[in-house]
Amino acid sequence: MFNPAKSERFQPIEKRELAGWQGALDGDRLVTSGEVGLTITDLVANKKLALISVKQVAGFDISGNFVVWSDLRNEKTPIGELGSYDVANADIFLYDLTTGEERQLTTDPSAQVNPKIWGNYIVWMDNASDEIKEYPSHWQIVLYNIKTDEYKILTAGSGGHTDPDIDAGLVVWEDGRRVTERGLRAGGNVPENNTDIYLYRIDTGETVPIATEDYREGRPQISGGLVTWEVYNGSHSGDVFVHDIVTGKTIQVTDLDVDQRSPVISGQFVAWMDERNGSSTHDVGPGPPQLGHIRS
């Protein structure tokens, strides 16, 4: 059963401001993206651990001592002229906080973007197999093993497979195998963009469907044995769902006639953007993110 948290104003135990406009957190280590590159901070020690020079970042993440990101340092044309990452030469890089070593993991002139990391495994989006390479691309999901230096493509075919996430030996992504036209993947939050949620088990190599209804299910996030995602069913107002991998049970978390989307999950808690207090045509309104507690 889902129990929504009380709507009281959140009061932080401690407030600290760090420069940057995006962040990724793992335990007490935070990566922020700013004008100078990627900054890694130990929040407990209040100490900067590293500063990584980046030309143009196209996604980043952190797990333990590893920081991974996509960088356009090998692309000669400015992203403003290219128009999108789909036609850019974006590569995946890895930084080891223990040794200070930086490694380039991909060299293909296509785009490899939006990396996510868990332990010694990294996943990202790759459009090397897309001959056209125009927006929106027919992306594939790639899994990389840091220890063995082995790559594995988890998806195939057209439709565009996007938004991978990884945790506890499990990979999830937004799967486009049932999207009939390339242009629909540019539609974003519309039911006709009929994407599904799939899961890959690293230990067994098994790929299983999580959500395959005849409308858009996308932007999955995973934590332990729980997967959350957004759903657009017959309207432009999204809802949030959560699936328990162990029990096979799926619950609907939100059910209002407003847009509720972009969920994130950690342990038994799921948070999402919510427009119940206001909305606009393209942006989330003044309403704050909402938080809920999942109980079995």
Side-chain angles (χ1 to χ4, degrees), residues 56-95:
Q56 175 78 42
V57 69
F60 60 93
D61 200 13
I62 182 172
S63 179
N65 290 315
F66 290 121
V67 179
V68 64
W69 72 97
S70 174
D71 196 344
L72 273 66
R73 67 178 63 176
N74 297 316
E75 174 58 60
K76 298 179 180 179
T77 305
I79 187 63
E81 296 181 22
L82 293 174
S84 75
Y85 293 126
D86 301 65
V87 295
N89 180 8
D91 290 303
I92 304 297
F93 291 82
L94 180 69
Y95 184 88

Side-chain angles (χ1 to χ4, degrees), residues 159 175-182 184-185 192-195:
D175 193 282
R177 70 184 66 188
R178 295 201 299 150
V179 178
T180 57
E181 299 178 19
R182 179 191 287 260
L184 288 173
R185 291 298 273 125
E192 293 79 14
N193 184 12
N194 185 16
T195 54

Side-chain angles (χ1 to χ4, degrees), residues 1-289:
M1 181 178 70
F2 168 70
N3 294 302
K6 295 181 180 180
S7 58
E8 300 157 349
R9 184 173 180 82
F10 175 71
Q11 296 295 331
I13 298 175
E14 178 182 351
K15 184 177 180 180
R16 190 181 309 167
E17 294 185 3
L18 299 172
W21 48 80
Q22 286 181 313
L25 181 69
D26 182 49
D28 55 8
R29 292 181 171 182
L30 174 68
V31 183
T32 52
S33 175
E35 294 181 358
V36 295
L38 297 176
T39 301
I40 300 90
T41 304
D42 185 319
L43 297 176
V44 174
N46 195 22
K47 176 184 178 182
K48 184 170 72 174
L49 300 178
L51 175 61
I52 303 171
S53 177
V54 177
K55 178 183 178 181
Q56 175 78 42
V57 69
F60 60 93
D61 200 13
I62 182 172
S63 179
N65 290 315
F66 290 121
V67 179
V68 64
W69 72 97
S70 174
D71 196 344
L72 273 66
R73 67 178 63 176
N74 297 316
E75 174 58 60
K76 298 179 180 179
T77 305
I79 187 63
E81 296 181 22
L82 293 174
S84 75
Y85 293 126
D86 301 65
V87 295
N89 180 8
D91 290 303
I92 304 297
F93 291 82
L94 180 69
Y95 184 88
D96 189 332
L97 289 167
T98 304
T99 64
E101 177 189 9
E102 179 178 308
R103 294 166 53 192
Q104 181 172 341
L105 304 183
T106 64
T107 57
D108 190 284
S110 301
Q112 293 87 41
V113 300
N114 194 25
K116 299 293 181 179
I117 184 170
W118 168 78
N120 289 303
Y121 291 94
I122 306 172
V123 290
W124 62 75
M125 295 161 47
D126 191 319
N127 70 352
S129 63
D130 188 353
E131 296 182 359
I132 299 178
K133 291 183 177 59
E134 65 179 20
Y135 176 79
S137 285
H138 286 163
W139 298 100
Q140 306 300 336
I141 305 300
V142 175
L143 174 68
Y144 174 74
N145 187 325
I146 297 172
K147 282 189 174 181
T148 64
D149 195 34
E150 294 178 324
Y151 301 78
K152 183 174 184 179
I153 301 176
L154 305 184
T155 56
S158 61
H161 313 294
T162 62
D163 298 277
D165 196 24
I166 183 171
D167 189 52
L170 303 170
V171 181
V172 293
W173 65 89
E174 180 177 324
D175 193 282
R177 70 184 66 188
R178 295 201 299 150
V179 178
T180 57
E181 299 178 19
R182 179 191 287 260
L184 288 173
R185 291 298 273 125
N189 300 334
V190 296
E192 293 79 14
N193 184 12
N194 185 16
T195 54
D196 302 310
I197 307 300
Y198 274 76
L199 176 143
Y200 176 83
R201 302 180 186 274
I202 295 176
D203 59 348
T204 65
E206 178 187 17
T207 299
V208 295
I210 297 296
T212 58
E213 300 296 336
D214 292 329
Y215 41 76
R216 182 176 185 272
E217 297 154 310
R219 294 183 181 176
Q221 296 280 297
I222 185 169
S223 178
L226 296 176
V227 182
T228 185
W229 65 92
E230 63 183 27
V231 168
Y232 285 83
N233 179 12
S235 74
H236 294 275
S237 296
D239 283 307
V240 175
F241 283 68
V242 171
H243 176 81
D244 188 319
I245 298 169
V246 176
T247 65
K249 181 181 179 181
T250 299
I251 63 171
Q252 183 170 347
V253 177
T254 65
D255 189 21
L256 296 178
D257 292 330
V258 297
D259 205 9
Q260 297 165 303
R261 58 184 175 85
S262 304
V264 294
I265 190 167
S266 179
Q268 296 288 315
F269 290 93
V270 58
W272 63 92
M273 293 303 298
D274 196 304
E275 292 190 351
R276 71 182 69 187
N277 295 323
S279 63
S280 63
T281 304
H282 300 293
D283 302 313
V284 175

